[in-house]
Amino acid sequence: MPFPLPLEALVGKPLMYLIFGLIGFGFGFVLEISGFGNSKKLAAQFYFKDMTVLKVMFTAIIVAMVLIFTMVGLGVLDFNQVWVNPTYLWPGIVGGLIMGVGFVIGGFCPGTSLVAASTFKVDGVFFVLGGLFGIFLFGETEQYFDTWWNSSYYGRLTIMDWLGLSTGVVVVAVVLMALFMFWAGEKLEHRFGGVDQKRAPKWRYAGAGVLLAAAVGVLLIGQPTTESKWQRVATVKDAALVNREVQIHPGELLASLGDDALRVVVLDVRPESEYNLFHIQGAQNAPLDQLPSFIPELHAKQAANTVFVTVGNDEEAATNAWKLLTAESVPNVYILEGGINNWLATFEAEGSEIQATPTPMPGNDTLKYVFASALGDRYAAAAPSPHEWELEYTPKIKLQIQRDKSGGGCG
Amino acid sequence: MTAQVSAPAPAQTKGSALKAFFFHRPERKYINAYLGGALLGLVLFTSFFLTGNGLGASGGLNRIIVYFQDMVAPEHVDRVAYLLKLAGGEKNALDDWIVPMIFGTLIGGFVAGWWFGRLKVVTNKGPQISVRTRWALAFVGGGIMGYGARMARGCTSGQALSGGAVLSVGSWAFMFAVFAGAYALAYFVRKLWN
């Protein structure tokens, strides 16, 4: 899955910024030729006289959406690496309402005002100046409602996840909804703006047909499963497993947990009952069968220095978890070598409360210790002091450069 | 804002020749809205396909503001958590993809306006208000818009277009909120535009 490209690693920062500049050029160019540099044309939207805003916006959204999910379906584009704006529901809605007010008073939105200003529309220049002032004001006042601004957070939530529908169904539904809105918009334009729709180009029907057909195509090809994603990377990644490049020594995990330059997220993939008996301090319980539901969160808002370490009793479940996360392109995932059993052995946890079980269960990946009670991480061995343990190991954690992933607005 | 242009000029630089070069091209009509939308969709798709990011505008303006704040009052920036994230310590607020993107947007808009003869020093307004009123309202509207855009973590481009295309729940809620806010107020400010 080569796309999106790891641009910074591939061409370096200056060229990467040039590419973003060119995309911006296309953006500004298209906004201008669509008439978005003209506040009267934009404001006419809100009096049903000229529905250009609606038409341009929703055409752009459905065209891009259909293309994106076709490419994802064909396995060319990795959706996990596509930025999906995280949902902060109420700040988004209230901010949106405020923006609507600003839109109808000022006649622009930020992107269109840039185009207006660059074509010397004086009202556009005033709008940009006002916008800069509003942005400045937000930066200065955000601290007074910081808690609310970070509330109602749902992470990387797509409509598919929310409604539990397949991507294809949602894509088709959105295209149908947009086509309905275009139809209604044209009726309103005719009623309030006196626009003669008979003179509108006939090719728009063909365009609508093509888009709907493409959306049905997305539905038919479906979206890649974790299994098929793993198959694409299996040869390379299996080698890493066999050569033990990703299994880190308990000593390295301990050192990394105390390393300020790293943000280590320990994912304990064992069942909750075993997690409750004992787990490494700070570990998050993510039972293997529930792990897929954690993936959007692992992709959203993770700092570039985040390292994930999967932990099982031995290595089997942890390796399966590693495969799953790797297939879903979560970066910097490692496995705790030997799992909890090895951890307890390494840090000599045996004592009055933790004992090696006299009758180990047969087979792999079972807990080889018995615990006096389910103390979780309140056992000393859950958080050994890094200063007390001089352990020898080969360091394996290498931070991959993460792609510069952030939202347009979130900047 | 005067009509001065700092773009590379042709060799014979007589003021009037320059003026003719930039301002006297025949004015063309805007293209069909669906065609414009389809082209915009292609740009948006290209952005996601190559870079994994969508489009944006307000985020870039935000970084420019914070950059100047960091120049004038770096201690202040380091003390406010929201600003710290963008320009704290050694960080350069301009070192982000969104900044070249908005400069590209400005240039793209300028080139299109020039090519199609729409480079004009003009104030677009409704017939019932004066030019000065329009300027004041543009500034006020821009201020409200800028504040709301940061609150919503993105504007029409960064949230509605980009998040809409990848089917983010928050972006769709946001988009309907923008239209709701605008339509709710539109009737009361109809004198501004009609």
Side-chain angles (χ1 to χ4, degrees), chain A residues 3-5 7 13 17 20-21 23-25 27-30 32-35 38-41 43 45-49 55-61 64-65 67-69 71 76-77 79 81-85 87-88 91-93 95-111 114 118-123 126-127 129-132 134-142 145 148-150 157-160 162 170 174 177 182 186 201 203-204 403-404 406-411, chain B residues 1 5 23 30-45 47-53 55-59 61-63 65 69 76 80 82-83 86 95-98 100-102 104-113 116 118-125 134-135 137-139 141-161 163-175 177-183 185-186 189-190 193-194:
Chain A
F3 291 95
L5 299 170
L7 281 175
K13 217 168 198 179
Y17 282 174
F20 279 111
I23 292 170
F25 183 94
F27 181 40
F29 196 95
V30 175
E32 206 288 333
I33 62 177
S34 304
N38 185 339
S39 54
K40 269 161 73 182
K41 202 168 170 63
Q45 166 73 36
F46 302 113
Y47 302 95
F48 305 115
K49 289 182 169 170
K55 293 181 193 170
V56 172
M57 260 188 71
F58 281 93
T59 310
I61 289 173
M65 172 189 74
L67 285 168
I68 287 168
F69 289 106
M71 290 302 162
V76 184
L77 179 67
F79 191 59
Q81 296 194 54
V82 167
W83 168 262
V84 176
N85 298 58
T87 295
Y88 292 84
I93 289 175
L97 289 169
I98 293 175
M99 276 183 71
V101 168
F103 202 156
V104 76
I105 291 176
F108 294 104
C109 58
L114 288 176
S118 72
T119 53
F120 307 140
K121 308 293 179 278
V122 186
D123 49 334
F126 276 100
F127 188 96
L129 294 175
L132 289 170
I135 289 168
F136 164 77
L137 213 60
F138 183 82
E140 294 303 308
T141 52
E142 187 272 338
F145 51 88
W148 176 77
W149 193 59
N150 288 301
L157 180 65
T158 59
I159 297 178
M160 302 71 103
W162 175 49
V170 174
V174 169
M177 186 194 73
F182 297 153
E186 292 191 355
W203 55 254
R204 67 195 203 281
R403 287 166 355 84
D404 187 6
S406 66
C410 306
Chain B
M1 186 78 191
V5 173
F23 292 97
Y30 295 125
I31 62 168
N32 176 276
Y34 296 116
L35 180 60
L39 290 174
L40 184 55
L42 285 178
V43 173
L44 182 57
F45 166 71
S47 185
F48 273 121
F49 191 67
L50 292 181
T51 73
N53 284 315
L55 302 169
S58 65
L61 296 175
N62 186 26
R63 284 180 175 274
I65 287 283
Q69 280 184 274
H76 174 66
V80 179
Y82 173 81
L83 303 173
L86 299 165
D95 187 8
D96 191 83
W97 62 271
I98 191 112
M101 183 173 279
I102 66 160
T105 307
L106 282 168
I107 299 169
F110 174 79
V111 169
F116 296 107
R118 292 191 283 261
L119 223 49
K120 279 200 183 69
V121 183
V122 65
T123 299
N124 289 311
K125 63 175 189 63
R134 171 70 187 118
W135 289 353
L137 289 170
F139 186 87
I144 297 171
M145 195 79 168
Y147 199 88
R150 295 322 302 163
M151 183 181 286
R153 297 178 167 79
C155 56
T156 331
S157 359
Q159 276 280 10
L161 275 182
V166 294
L167 300 171
S168 158
V169 171
S171 298
W172 279 85
F174 161 83
M175 195 173 351
V178 174
F179 278 103
Y183 276 110
L185 193 69
V189 297
R190 61 192 182 281
W193 299 106
N194 294 293

Side-chain angles (χ1 to χ4, degrees), chain A residues 295-307:
Chain A
I295 286 169
E297 191 47 41
L298 301 186
H299 277 293
K301 294 199 76 168
Q302 296 291 1
N305 62 346
T306 307
V307 172

Side-chain angles (χ1 to χ4, degrees), chain A residues 8 167 241 253 284:
Chain A
E8 188 165 357
T167 304
L241 281 177
L253 177 55
Q284 190 182 347

Side-chain angles (χ1 to χ4, degrees), chain A residues 38-365:
Chain A
N38 185 339
S39 54
K40 269 161 73 182
K41 202 168 170 63
L42 292 168
Q45 166 73 36
F46 302 113
Y47 302 95
F48 305 115
K49 289 182 169 170
D50 179 344
M51 305 297 274
T52 299
V53 174
L54 178 101
K55 293 181 193 170
V56 172
M57 260 188 71
F58 281 93
T59 310
I61 289 173
I62 59 177
V63 166
M65 172 189 74
V66 165
L67 285 168
I68 287 168
F69 289 106
T70 303
M71 290 302 162
V72 173
L74 295 175
V76 184
L77 179 67
D78 179 3
F79 191 59
N80 282 317
Q81 296 194 54
V82 167
W83 168 262
V84 176
N85 298 58
T87 295
Y88 292 84
L89 193 60
W90 287 108
I93 289 175
V94 175
L97 289 169
I98 293 175
M99 276 183 71
V101 168
F103 202 156
V104 76
I105 291 176
F108 294 104
C109 58
T112 58
S113 70
L114 288 176
V115 170
S118 72
T119 53
F120 307 140
K121 308 293 179 278
V122 186
D123 49 334
V125 175
F126 276 100
F127 188 96
V128 172
L129 294 175
L132 289 170
F133 181 70
I135 289 168
F136 164 77
L137 213 60
F138 183 82
E140 294 303 308
T141 52
E142 187 272 338
Q143 52 189 306
Y144 304 114
F145 51 88
D146 185 64
T147 312
W148 176 77
W149 193 59
N150 288 301
S151 66
S152 57
Y153 173 64
Y154 295 90
R156 185 186 157 112
L157 180 65
T158 59
I159 297 178
M160 302 71 103
D161 300 334
W162 175 49
L163 296 178
L165 293 170
S166 82
T167 304
V169 171
V170 174
V171 166
V172 171
V174 169
V175 169
L176 285 174
M177 186 194 73
L179 294 179
F180 171 75
M181 283 164 63
F182 297 153
W183 173 80
E186 292 191 355
K187 291 270 174 229
L188 289 167
E189 261 178 349
H190 175 69
R191 169 97 172 66
F192 292 95
V195 179
D196 182 6
Q197 301 295 357
K198 288 203 183 70
R199 295 176 59 192
K202 290 281 176 287
W203 55 254
R204 67 195 203 281
Y205 298 116
V210 170
L211 270 170
L212 193 56
V216 173
V218 172
L219 181 66
L220 293 179
I221 54 177
Q223 299 289 297
T225 60
T226 303
E227 182 56 32
S228 68
K229 287 179 195 167
W230 170 251
Q231 289 308 325
R232 286 201 193 94
V233 294
T235 37
V236 182
K237 300 294 182 185
D238 262 334
L241 281 177
V242 173
N243 299 334
R244 300 197 65 79
E245 289 164 18
V246 293
Q247 290 86 347
I248 61 167
H249 188 274
E252 185 170 14
L253 177 55
L254 184 64
S256 304
L257 284 167
D259 183 348
D260 287 339
L262 291 180
R263 194 174 156 264
V264 180
V265 177
V266 179
L267 296 171
D268 195 323
V269 301
R270 301 172 303 155
E272 197 184 338
S273 56
E274 292 181 350
Y275 172 85
N276 287 343
L277 279 178
F278 174 85
H279 60 258
I280 297 167
Q281 196 169 59
Q284 190 182 347
N285 191 210
L288 190 55
D289 53 341
Q290 290 163 35
L291 193 56
S293 64
F294 283 80
I295 286 169
E297 191 47 41
L298 301 186
H299 277 293
K301 294 199 76 168
Q302 296 291 1
N305 62 346
T306 307
V307 172
F308 298 97
V309 182
T310 62
V311 175
N313 283 326
D314 289 324
E315 282 184 11
E316 196 179 310
T319 303
N320 286 336
W322 184 88
K323 286 182 177 177
L324 181 100
L325 296 178
T326 309
E328 295 290 350
S329 47
V330 176
N332 305 317
V333 190
Y334 293 88
I335 300 167
L336 175 62
E337 192 172 66
I340 288 294
N341 288 330
N342 188 30
W343 176 274
L344 291 172
T346 307
F347 296 109
E348 296 162 18
E350 250 181 284
S352 56
E353 291 182 308
I354 305 178
Q355 285 164 358
T357 168
T359 52
M361 299 251 284
N364 276 330
D365 238 14

